[in-house]
Amino acid sequence: MSTIATNIAKVGTRIREAAQAVARDPDEVQLLAVSKTQPASAIRLANEAGQWDFGENYLQEALEKQADLRDLSLTWHFIGPIQSNKTKLIAEHFDWVHSVDRLKIAQRLSDQRPPELPPLNVCLQVNVSGEGSKSGCDPQEATALANEIASLPNLRLRGLMAIPEPTDDLAKQRAAFAHLRQLQSKIDLELDTLSMGMSQDLEAAVAEGATWVRVGTALFGARDYSLQPGSASPSA
């Protein structure tokens, strides 16, 4: 068994135990393997261990890996900040987008989604910690923005996403995730997704209702950002 396969099993145990601790069905929580900066070979090993969903932050890197792995029926999630000039390729090549935080971006994704593809699954990213360096809409704007996104024809709004301010304090972790869950409960739409929780805080996220946990380091090890474009801010 590869190290990646062993790590996937360990994270699966963490998810299962966290869910059982709050009387949740572990099957309600899905693992999104954050493969940014990882080679296609690592994704292939993860897939051999039963992982099918992969999250990428950098568009060009992701497209190259998708081409290398076209023989596999993987589900691709875009989870990084979105620039307007990248929406067309994201709309064409991804199954999910977790990081929609403005109506303009949502409209472009809807307009540019190829008609032969099913609606693009999207999450509205909310800046629950109010950090100036983080993407995400203001929590007070979430309800109105969610309703506008839900009305777009080629998108399917699935729920909310957040990357709270990092902390080792379990109570603070849970409070941030609870905030996102409470926001979602106030939105009068049929939403089934809370994308929250990463390697260091997935237990708190699962306790507060996460349906996707975005895990990279705990699966693949530390990342090397030296050759990567864009920000190295955490997302897994």
Side-chain angles (χ1 to χ4, degrees):
M1 181 180 291
S2 70
T3 300
I4 291 173
T6 299
N7 291 343
I8 288 174
K10 289 178 179 178
V11 170
T13 298
R14 289 175 62 187
I15 292 171
R16 183 173 65 255
E17 291 178 350
Q20 291 171 343
V22 293
R24 289 189 66 193
D25 181 351
D27 290 340
E28 295 176 354
V29 187
Q30 300 184 77
L31 173 61
L32 177 55
V34 178
S35 46
K36 64 175 182 179
T37 81
Q38 302 298 331
S41 58
I43 296 175
R44 195 173 289 277
L45 286 172
N47 177 249
E48 289 173 359
Q51 180 66 30
W52 294 92
D53 289 271
F54 293 89
E56 292 283 337
N57 289 58
Y58 307 120
L59 179 59
Q60 193 56 47
E61 176 193 335
L63 296 178
E64 292 171 3
K65 285 186 274 193
Q66 289 177 0
D68 288 343
L69 299 164
R70 65 170 64 91
D71 58 305
L72 303 178
S73 298
L74 305 180
T75 300
W76 293 97
H77 302 241
F78 194 83
I79 61 174
I82 304 172
Q83 299 171 325
S84 295
N85 63 349
K86 303 291 179 63
T87 55
K88 185 174 188 295
L89 288 172
I90 292 172
E92 291 173 347
H93 292 278
F94 287 83
D95 305 288
W96 281 75
V97 178
H98 292 236
S99 48
V100 175
D101 63 356
R102 327 193 276 290
L103 182 59
K104 174 184 175 181
I105 293 297
Q107 290 171 329
R108 289 178 65 89
L109 290 171
S110 178
D111 292 344
Q112 295 169 335
R113 182 68 168 175
E116 68 273 15
L117 295 179
L120 181 63
N121 296 297
V122 300
C123 293
L124 172 60
Q125 182 174 353
V126 183
N127 188 347
V128 292
S129 300
E131 294 177 88
S133 62
K134 289 277 178 69
S135 300
C137 73
D138 186 292
Q140 295 183 348
E141 300 173 354
T143 296
L145 188 50
N147 280 285
E148 289 179 303
I149 292 172
S151 71
L152 296 173
N154 298 313
L155 303 184
R156 181 184 175 194
L157 180 65
R158 300 294 297 268
L160 305 184
M161 182 272 249
I163 307 173
E165 184 176 9
T167 176
D168 292 328
D169 185 316
L170 180 60
K172 291 182 179 178
Q173 290 175 356
R174 289 196 59 167
F177 295 133
H179 187 191
L180 192 72
R181 172 175 49 77
Q182 291 159 5
L183 278 174
Q184 178 150 305
S185 70
K186 296 175 182 177
I187 298 172
D188 189 20
L189 296 168
E190 294 184 6
L191 305 178
D192 60 9
T193 298
L194 282 170
S195 174
M196 59 188 195
M198 300 182 285
S199 295
Q200 77 277 14
D201 58 9
L202 69 84
E203 284 83 2
V206 170
E208 294 297 340
T211 60
W212 282 109
V213 290
R214 308 181 307 274
V215 179
T217 304
L219 300 181
F220 299 108
R223 299 186 181 95
D224 179 3
Y225 286 98
S226 61
L227 299 177
Q228 294 302 318
S231 168
S233 61
S235 61

